[in-house]
């Protein structure tokens, strides 16, 4: 997209638009974060990764403290665009309930099959 901005010809009085749009595109690319999930024998992880390490974070939830976990789907083209994915149903949420009565909701971009596989693994570890 940035290359296209420099190919387009603007009138001299509107030349600044090229640079403003270039800066916006670059900032959006750098600041965009990708949410993913993972599981090991003891913890369930929500990983928010970015090009900049300062913007990356990891939320860790102890599986033995969960009482329920379920996935839900979104029908939002904005979320798909923001997370740089196609519009083919990659926007899902995860709702977790803990033993102390609190709950947490996470938004992730993952294929439905992968989400179901990871959530079934978490449920399996919850019953052990």
């Amino acid at each position: 997209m940035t290359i296209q901005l420099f190919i387009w010809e603007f009138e001299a009085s509107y030349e600044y638009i090229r640079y403003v749009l270039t800066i916006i595109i670059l900032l959006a690319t750098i600041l965009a974060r990708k949410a993913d999930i993972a599981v090991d024998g003891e913890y369930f992880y929500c990983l928010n990764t970015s090009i900049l390490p300062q913007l990356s974070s990891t939320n860790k939830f102890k599986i033995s403290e969960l009482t329920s976990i379920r996935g839900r789907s979104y029908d939002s083209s904005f979320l798909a665009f923001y997370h740089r994915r196609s519009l083919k149903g990659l926007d899902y949420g995860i709702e977790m309930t803990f033993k102390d009565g609190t709950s947490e909701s996470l938004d992730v971009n993952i294929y439905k099959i992968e989400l179901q596989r990871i959530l079934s693994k978490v449920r399996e570890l919850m019953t052990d």
Side-chain angles (χ1 to χ4, degrees):
M1 238 175 126
T2 305
I3 293 170
Q4 183 63 41
L5 283 173
F6 285 96
I7 292 173
W8 285 337
E9 292 186 22
F10 291 94
E11 292 181 22
S13 60
Y14 296 107
E15 187 67 28
Y16 70 92
I17 293 174
R18 178 186 324 252
Y19 300 107
V20 170
L21 290 175
T22 301
I23 290 170
I24 290 171
I25 291 169
L26 291 174
L27 284 175
T29 302
I30 290 172
L31 297 177
R33 296 176 7 160
K34 180 183 178 299
D36 204 358
I37 56 176
V39 65
D40 66 12
E42 191 174 346
Y43 291 99
F44 174 73
Y45 301 93
C46 180
L47 311 162
N48 290 310
T49 57
S50 174
I51 293 174
L52 298 174
Q54 298 85 354
L55 297 178
S56 297
S57 66
T58 301
N59 294 331
K60 175 166 83 166
F61 306 98
K62 195 163 186 142
I63 293 174
S64 62
E65 294 177 2
L66 292 171
T67 57
S68 71
I69 188 168
R70 70 181 189 93
R72 67 179 192 283
S73 65
Y74 294 114
D75 185 20
S76 171
S77 58
F78 172 75
L79 287 174
F81 171 76
Y82 177 73
H83 291 290
R84 297 173 292 168
R85 297 290 183 116
S86 68
L87 302 176
K88 297 182 181 175
L90 295 177
D91 300 313
Y92 292 95
I94 298 172
E95 294 180 356
M96 299 177 289
T97 307
F98 299 95
K99 290 182 179 177
D100 62 358
T102 61
S103 63
E104 180 102 21
S105 182
L106 306 170
D107 296 323
V108 294
N109 288 78
I110 191 169
Y111 288 102
K112 186 175 184 177
I113 294 171
E114 292 178 37
L115 177 67
Q116 290 172 341
R117 182 181 56 81
I118 290 174
L119 292 182
S120 66
K121 179 68 175 173
V122 171
R123 287 186 196 106
E124 178 184 312
L125 293 168
M126 285 170 55
T127 59
D128 290 343

